[in-house]
Amino acid sequence: MAALGGARRRPLLLLLLGLVHGTAALFVVKDANGTACIMANFSAAFTASYDTRSGPKNVTFDLPSDAAVLNSSSCGKENASDPSLMIAFGRGHGLILNFTRNATRYSVQLMSFIYNLSDTQIFPNASSKAIKTVESATDIRADINKKYRCVSNNQIHMHNVTVTLHDATIQAYLANNSFSKEETHCEQDGPFPTTAPPPPPHPSPSPAPENPPVYKYNVSGSNGTCLLANMGLQLNVTYEKKDNTTMTRVFSINPNKTTAGGSCGPQLVTLELRSESVSLLAFHFGMNASTNRYFLQGIQLNMTLPDARDPTFKAANSSLKALQATIGNSYKCNAEERVQVTEAFSINIFKVWVQAFQVQGDKFGSVEECQLDENGMLIPIAVGGALAGLVLIVLIAYLVGRKRSHAGYQTI
């Protein structure tokens, strides 16, 4: 951490494009010959949850204009190490982007954030004075010799910290000592095709997979349980194989081969699942204090696909509004629900019963049924009502006909 403190005295290269708090800054890493290998231009905001003597507290702060690139940043060495951008700011805080590549693409494989709880300006009344490190995989990736471009906010969730990049331009493995004119857009900005892409080949039909087993997950913190979730999970992943054909596969989460964890925050609850092939499947539940409701806000998936052209599959979306219910109540749905996370990834949720935040006594609160279940109940009610009406019409017709037949006879 001494290197972080000395960042202002020994920056490798830092060009600032704004002099006000929260504006974008340009960070450049050069090799020993003075050739740029990494360039990054973005603004960043950090939201962190930390403990105080009076309970957990949330704080939000920006990457300041005097942030600096550390000398320990690196262009990497072939077959030895990968490039990394290390940015230091404030009293011992740091943001690290570690890059990797294959034959066609590069990515920020891992983002790390180092923060110093003894910095009272950012973390007042923190109960700990320790230096903490959190990290997460990211969905920042681009084609080789193209810059990564993302105007929209891109949130990277790291346990109790969320890093939000805005108006980001990032490129590693530079070819011409500057940003490329060509760019790869992030999923958050949406597609920008120049021509209509050819339709993907239709995969051969396969038998429908069995429903996954339903399992009970829970997440607890210092104040008790913050999440209860009963559900079965199934992943739908579309990717390109090594032979350039498109494949869609379905993966069921086996609870017996999955480890569960997570974190509790005042406004963010996270459930994290990991298995042999799924390095991370995270569910982020947020809340809206003004409407007194919680909802599934984000899903992140990092997994390995051995037969894919890029074996590391990553997908994330932090703008969801699924599984909504009033705080203090539980959300329940017996019908299968599909949540579309990205164009290439969706998740099927079976027999879900979930409650985030105010969980009392480790038990589900009052149930709010999903719309699918309510619609399912309306169908038999409507059919039953129609049949009852039909029987009534037949009965009335029979009685009227019988009365008329009796009126045709006369008494002698």
Side-chain angles (χ1 to χ4, degrees):
M1 260 348 247
L4 288 175
R8 298 183 188 178
R9 298 189 297 271
R10 307 184 282 117
L12 181 63
L13 177 62
L14 172 65
L15 299 176
L16 295 178
L17 298 184
L19 298 177
V20 296
H21 188 64
T23 57
L26 175 64
F27 305 97
V28 182
V29 177
K30 291 186 175 182
D31 62 17
N33 298 322
T35 302
C37 62
I38 301 173
M39 295 180 68
N41 188 351
F42 56 79
S43 61
F46 306 88
T47 299
S49 175
Y50 69 100
D51 291 328
T52 68
R53 291 181 179 84
S54 58
K57 183 178 180 180
N58 274 1
V59 62
T60 299
F61 52 96
D62 293 326
L63 183 69
S65 59
D66 61 351
V69 177
L70 286 174
N71 279 352
S72 49
S73 299
S74 169
C75 290
K77 295 180 181 180
E78 189 172 357
N79 300 323
S81 61
D82 292 318
S84 62
L85 168 61
M86 301 184 179
I87 303 169
F89 64 95
R91 301 178 180 178
H93 313 296
L95 181 66
I96 303 173
L97 282 68
N98 292 300
F99 294 84
T100 188
R101 64 171 291 175
N102 57 25
T104 59
R105 308 196 84 186
Y106 68 91
S107 65
V108 178
Q109 183 182 35
L110 189 70
M111 180 180 290
S112 304
F113 179 55
I114 302 167
Y115 60 102
N116 184 4
L117 288 171
S118 64
D119 183 353
T120 56
Q121 290 185 355
I122 295 180
F123 302 102
N125 303 317
S127 55
S128 170
K129 304 299 180 184
I131 296 173
K132 301 283 189 178
T133 301
V134 290
E135 59 187 23
S136 174
T138 80
D139 60 354
I140 300 173
R141 60 179 65 190
D143 297 330
I144 294 293
N145 295 328
K146 290 185 181 181
K147 61 188 176 188
Y148 166 87
R149 188 76 179 100
C150 196
V151 178
S152 305
N153 288 344
N154 185 5
Q155 292 187 330
I156 298 93
H157 299 284
M158 308 178 185
H159 190 53
N160 61 312
V161 175
T162 298
V163 180
T164 302
L165 301 184
H166 178 69
D167 197 12
T169 304
I170 301 171
Q171 188 170 356
Y173 308 97
L174 292 167
N176 298 314
N177 214 32
S178 63
F179 282 124
S180 170
K181 292 182 179 180
E182 295 186 276
E183 55 191 30
T184 299
H185 283 267
C186 64
E187 294 178 351
Q188 291 85 344
D189 283 354
F192 292 86
T194 54
T195 58
H202 294 287
S204 56
S206 57
E210 295 182 359
N211 290 354
V214 176
Y215 188 76
K216 183 175 183 179
Y217 305 95
N218 69 78
V219 178
S220 299
S222 56
N223 295 325
T225 301
C226 64
L227 177 70
L228 290 177
N230 288 4
M231 56 187 176
L233 300 171
Q234 204 171 68
L235 313 180
N236 308 296
V237 179
T238 301
Y239 60 95
E240 285 191 17
K241 298 177 66 178
K242 294 177 181 178
D243 60 3
N244 292 328
T245 60
T246 300
M247 169 68 74
T248 298
R249 293 180 62 188
V250 178
F251 302 87
S252 292
I253 298 298
N254 185 348
N256 297 323
K257 297 182 180 180
T258 302
T259 59
S263 60
C264 301
Q267 296 187 7
L268 185 69
V269 171
T270 300
L271 169 65
E272 296 180 347
L273 305 179
R274 290 178 169 84
S275 65
E276 184 177 352
S277 61
V278 178
S279 55
L280 176 65
L281 175 59
F283 298 85
H284 304 288
F285 289 85
M287 64 181 291
N288 187 328
S290 60
T291 61
N292 198 37
R293 293 179 70 79
Y294 66 87
F295 50 90
L296 178 60
Q297 171 181 303
I299 295 178
Q300 179 182 353
L301 172 66
N302 301 335
M303 69 179 302
T304 302
L305 300 168
D307 62 337
R309 190 174 71 176
D310 183 357
T312 302
F313 181 89
K314 298 176 184 177
N317 188 334
S318 57
S319 303
L320 302 174
K321 294 287 184 181
L323 314 186
Q324 299 188 45
T326 304
I327 294 175
N329 291 352
S330 61
Y331 174 92
K332 191 173 186 180
C333 197
N334 290 315
E336 174 188 348
E337 291 199 65
R338 170 172 288 198
V339 179
Q340 193 71 41
V341 182
T342 67
E343 186 178 350
F345 169 52
S346 64
I347 186 166
N348 302 330
I349 307 178
F350 295 82
K351 296 188 180 300
V352 61
W353 192 7
V354 65
Q355 183 172 347
F357 302 100
Q358 299 175 10
V359 180
Q360 303 295 331
D362 293 338
K363 295 181 179 179
F364 288 109
S366 300
V367 172
E368 294 185 20
E369 297 281 351
C370 67
Q371 190 66 43
L372 291 172
D373 283 358
E374 291 178 357
N375 291 344
M377 293 175 62
L378 287 175
I379 293 174
I381 292 174
V383 172
L387 290 175
L390 182 60
V391 170
L392 182 61
I393 291 172
V394 171
L395 180 60
I396 292 174
Y398 168 75
L399 293 175
V400 170
R402 187 178 180 189
K403 184 176 181 181
R404 286 179 178 175
S405 65
H406 278 293
Y409 293 97
Q410 294 183 354
T411 304
I412 298 178

